[in-house]
Amino acid sequence: MVPLRTLDDLKATMTETPMPTFDGRALINGERVAARDGQTFDCISPVDGRVLTQVARCAGADVDTAVSAARAAFEDRRWVGKAPAQRKRIMIRFAELIQANADALALTEALDMGKPIKYAKGVDVNSAANCIRWYGEAVDKIYDEIAPTPQTALALITREPVGVVGVIVPWNYPMIMAAWKIAPALAVGNSVVLKPSEKSPLTALRLAELALEAGIPPGVFNVVPGYGPEAGSPLALHMDVDCIAFTGSTRVGKQIHVMAGQSNLKRAWTELGGKSPNIVFADCPDLDKAVDAAVGSIFFNQGESCNAPSRLFVEASIKEAFLEKALAKVPGYQPGNPLDRNTVMGAIVDETQLSTVLRYIESGKSEGAKLLAGGERVSPVAGGCYVQPTIFDGVTNDMTIAREEIFGPVLSVLSFSDAADVVRQANSNVYGLQAAVWTRDINKAHGVARALRAGTVHVNSYDEDDITVPFGGFKQSGVGRDKSLHAFDKYTETKTTWIRIDSPV
Ligand code: NAD
């Protein structure tokens, strides 16, 4: 990969910025390789529609080669055989290299996926590096167990890596989603085959190069870019993959569980969609803070966040005042060139996703919701994929924009009469990823938080986040948890070893 410009060079708009060159080849067994059949696809930037590079269009044969390399690396113990403290040092080095390449990685992410460069660097690069460092640091501090059995035997309960882990991730936080899975999987000694999204494959390939540079042996971390049905399905169906860790839509997540069952009953973990309720009671302790969180969180990352608070429930008596404040914030979120450091909302990932967002906006209008702000495609950079921050009022829970995940900067505002009413409405959705409740009443806060069916509930905030806490969903938001020490459960098997003690003293 040719060295990229630094952020300081990026004051100009992209159209004035010479395009860096990227290497879109797969990374298998420590080597950059083309797809076996030579097929490629265009990697198009949503910033202005340019083709960034050609990417290897991997398919079954490439997945087979990558899985064989991963299996060989696992069997000869070139990675799992290292002492945990040694793996720790290499993982920390890997994190340091990510940090050392922060500008280039951030620029790649902004160009490939359309997010503002300041968040690509400040959030995505930092979080990915922190995650890899955290799991590296954790791995030599975890002890196994001895069971309280009778004295005639010793029962050791130990954790072992599952073996070869397939990882499939989406395009919205390409580095973070990959790091949440590869970090715990690699730290405990597994080999990994990662399939990034076809919409944002470039940083995953670069991460694998940095892992090699850090000392993770060839074959341990492989990346096979390509389309879901062509490269993802062969990975999920593979008879020699022991675990598949997937983040993406609920539609494909269901197929992943079927493919796991149809093949070798590999462990399948799925982090899926959301339609998170953000509930503001009239006794909210700080209305301005609640407005900032409601608006900032739905428009962050162009609304392309699984946990975006896309359903805003405001108690009827304060709704008007709340919306007035919210609308005043909207001009601050107009989309701009992602490469401009002042931009807070960038481009939608591609034309297909942009059409989906616009279709949902049309459905909101036709089903009777009231468009308060936005709703239109705009062109801050010619040829790019941009849409205005959009707010609908008068939404009811039966409308499509209240039920389905839009994955764009569209806020649906609903109202409620009391706690029981809002809990019923909030829970009447297939998803259960995240939720928030704003109130100064501790009893109400606790009662509502308990009653909400969601993997994470915030009280008087929305965006608390830390690698130490689990992340994942109830209901159709998925199975399993990323982040925290709990994530190790996904990538390890529990083994019991009985040792007979014939003559206890
Ligand atoms: P997607 O399901 O379309 O694709 C996700 C990944 O699966 C991609 O790499 C894709 O190529 C692959 N894929 C597609 N079809 C496949 C198939 N038949 N077999 C195997 N792999 C296949 O999702 P997306 O559009 O990339 O991402 C958006 C979705 O991800 C949203 O629903 C969002 O909520 C969800 N998401 C969830 C979390 C979470 O932690 N819960 C985090 C981020 C995104």
Side-chain angles (χ1 to χ4, degrees), residues 168-173 177 180 195-198 226-229 232-233 236 246-252 255-256 259 271-274 305-306 405 407 433 471 477 482:
I168 301 176
V169 290
W171 45 263
N172 59 338
Y173 296 95
M177 294 300 103
W180 284 5
K195 194 211 81 69
S197 170
E198 61 277 17
Y227 292 98
S233 294
F246 174 86
T247 298
S249 62
T250 295
R251 181 184 65 79
V252 178
Q255 295 172 28
I256 295 292
M259 288 188 261
E271 298 287 346
L272 309 175
S305 300
C306 53
E405 183 181 46
F407 228 52
L433 190 55
F471 186 100
S477 287
D482 279 331

Side-chain angles (χ1 to χ4, degrees), residues 32 45 48 97 114 127 149 174 187 213 269 282 399 422 425 487:
R32 286 303 207 120
S45 173
D48 70 353
L97 286 173
S127 298
T149 54
E213 195 181 328
W269 306 110
M399 290 181 186
V422 77
Q425 290 196 61

Side-chain angles (χ1 to χ4, degrees), residues 151-494:
Q151 286 184 29
T152 48
L154 192 62
L156 309 179
I157 303 170
T158 53
R159 296 285 203 165
E160 293 185 6
V162 293
V164 175
V165 176
V167 174
I168 301 176
V169 290
W171 45 263
N172 59 338
Y173 296 95
M175 273 184 285
I176 301 177
M177 294 300 103
W180 284 5
K181 296 182 190 321
I182 64 167
L186 288 173
V188 294
N190 294 288
S191 297
V192 169
V193 178
L194 166 65
K195 194 211 81 69
S197 170
E198 61 277 17
K199 299 184 188 212
S200 60
L202 298 179
T203 48
L205 291 163
R206 187 67 188 126
L207 286 186
E209 284 183 333
L210 296 175
L212 274 175
E213 195 181 328
I216 293 181
V220 172
F221 177 19
N222 308 276
V223 181
V224 285
Y227 292 98
E230 294 173 8
S233 294
L235 193 57
L237 281 166
H238 208 290
M239 295 301 284
D240 206 23
V241 169
D242 302 294
C243 164
I244 188 89
F246 174 86
T247 298
S249 62
T250 295
R251 181 184 65 79
V252 178
K254 290 179 180 180
Q255 295 172 28
I256 295 292
H257 286 286
V258 171
M259 288 188 261
Q262 276 174 340
S263 52
N264 58 345
L265 207 63
K266 57 179 66 65
R267 281 91 190 96
W269 306 110
T270 48
E271 298 287 346
L272 309 175
K275 192 75 190 174
S276 298
N278 182 18
I279 301 167
V280 186
F281 283 96
D283 63 356
C284 167
D286 185 339
L287 209 55
D288 290 318
K289 199 171 150 209
V291 169
D292 280 344
V295 173
S297 302
I298 183 65
F299 297 146
F300 185 71
N301 211 43
Q302 302 72 244
E304 297 160 326
S305 300
C306 53
N307 59 343
S310 48
R311 286 186 295 157
L312 172 65
F313 291 92
V314 189
E315 193 161 359
S317 60
I318 59 159
K319 202 176 84 171
E320 212 170 300
F322 193 97
L323 284 180
E324 195 179 319
K325 286 173 183 285
L327 286 173
K329 301 276 175 198
V330 171
Y333 290 92
Q334 293 309 313
N337 187 333
L339 302 189
D340 180 335
R341 274 180 293 181
N342 296 317
T343 294
V344 293
M345 202 164 91
I348 299 293
V349 71
D350 67 0
E351 288 288 345
T352 310
Q353 183 61 18
L354 180 58
S355 307
T356 302
V357 173
L358 292 171
R359 213 170 38 247
Y360 276 114
I361 290 171
E362 282 313 306
S363 98
K365 290 185 204 163
S366 66
E367 289 179 23
K370 186 174 167 200
L371 183 65
L372 291 187
E376 299 290 333
R377 182 177 187 158
V378 284
S379 292
V381 184
C385 305
Y386 301 87
V387 65
Q388 292 173 326
T390 298
I391 299 182
F392 278 106
D393 187 20
V395 179
T396 52
N397 232 356
D398 55 338
M399 290 181 186
T400 308
I401 59 168
R403 282 186 288 109
E404 297 183 11
E405 183 181 46
I406 299 173
F407 228 52
V410 182
L411 180 63
S412 298
V413 183
L414 301 90
S415 112
F416 64 94
S417 52
D418 58 24
D421 175 34
V422 77
V423 166
R424 184 188 50 74
Q425 290 196 61
N427 282 343
S428 71
N429 192 277
V430 296
Y431 298 114
L433 190 55
Q434 199 154 318
V437 48
W438 298 77
T439 173
R440 64 173 75 241
D441 177 342
I442 183 79
N443 292 312
K444 191 157 59 182
H446 206 62
V448 172
R450 270 282 171 87
L452 289 169
R453 303 279 298 154
T456 301
V457 182
H458 297 274
V459 176
N460 296 333
S461 76
Y462 197 83
D463 49 6
E464 302 300 331
D465 183 36
D466 201 81
I467 188 68
T468 57
V469 297
F471 186 100
F474 284 24
K475 302 196 280 185
Q476 292 186 37
S477 287
V479 176
R481 295 290 180 270
D482 279 331
K483 297 171 64 187
S484 82
L485 296 179
H486 290 281
F488 281 136
D489 295 344
K490 298 174 20 173
Y491 306 110
T492 49
E493 291 286 14
T494 304

